[in-house]
Amino acid sequence: MKAIIFDMDGVLINSEVKYQELFMQFFKDRGVFIEKEELLFLIGCSRKTEDEFIASRLDISVERAQDLKKTFFENHKVDYLKIRMPYVLELLAYLKNNEITMALASSSPMDNIEDVLKQCEIETYFKYIVSGENFKRTKPDPEIYEYTCKQIGVSKDEIWVVEDSEYGIEAAKNAGLKVMGLYNSKLYQDLTDANLIISSLKQIMEEDIW
């Protein structure tokens, strides 16, 4: 294998669980009680989908939902370094030493991606960083992975993807890529379509795929 493409949320940082907690608090502050199960479909989705969900539950416009969410998260900053996934630094160093090209393909906005990478002190490892905000369609549409593969410039047979969500796995598979599904017992995601299911990033260094 010559390259690996990482998703960000739920793969490099354990943010999906944190975001669930924050969304539940967001709604609670507005007198709406949301069960965790109601938020599972947001894992791996676009910010647009989040905004539409908020607008629907609060019976407000999407524009108002965007404003409320922006203000809430500005007042509830996430310390991404604290939720950096175990073995991230070791894995990225291992891949660099083995001359594996690393790319990041996330549905998150670019400013959020850059903030996460900077806080987690891993921005220098990625040769290509791609945000879903640059595409009309987000995961599970394969467009973001098709684009990222073109940037890398090697055969798809020589690329692996690491994802944690059903949307992400579907997007990568639809792009003709092999996928490792990173399992998180708290997220209830069906990873059975992945080529390989792992429970820790450490396993990537142990698998006979390089």
Side-chain angles (χ1 to χ4, degrees), residues 17 20-21 24 34-41 186:
V17 173
Q20 279 186 347
E21 295 172 354
M24 291 176 71
I34 299 286
E35 298 289 343
K36 283 186 178 180
E37 290 75 16
E38 296 180 70
L39 300 174
L40 292 177
F41 85 98
K186 295 183 179 181

Side-chain angles (χ1 to χ4, degrees), residues 7-81:
D7 177 37
M8 184 179 74
D9 291 298
V11 173
L12 299 177
I13 52 173
N14 193 20
S15 54
E16 301 291 11
V17 173
K18 183 64 176 179
Y19 290 154
Q20 279 186 347
E21 295 172 354
L22 288 172
F23 270 115
M24 291 176 71
Q25 184 62 51
F26 171 86
F27 282 109
K28 183 179 179 181
D29 290 349
R30 288 155 182 82
V32 177
F33 294 90
I34 299 286
E35 298 289 343
K36 283 186 178 180
E37 290 75 16
E38 296 180 70
L39 300 174
L40 292 177
F41 85 98
L42 294 176
I43 296 173
C45 78
S46 67
R47 295 298 184 262
K48 179 175 180 289
T49 301
E50 290 179 355
D51 297 337
E52 291 172 347
F53 175 70
I54 292 171
S56 174
R57 292 308 302 264
L58 297 183
D59 194 23
I60 57 178
S61 69
V62 172
E63 291 74 18
R64 178 60 176 156
Q66 291 172 333
D67 291 340
L68 289 175
K69 186 181 75 170
K70 180 180 178 181
T71 299
F72 177 84
F73 278 93
E74 284 177 348
N75 293 328
H76 296 78
K77 295 288 188 182
V78 177
D79 186 339
Y80 294 113
L81 182 58

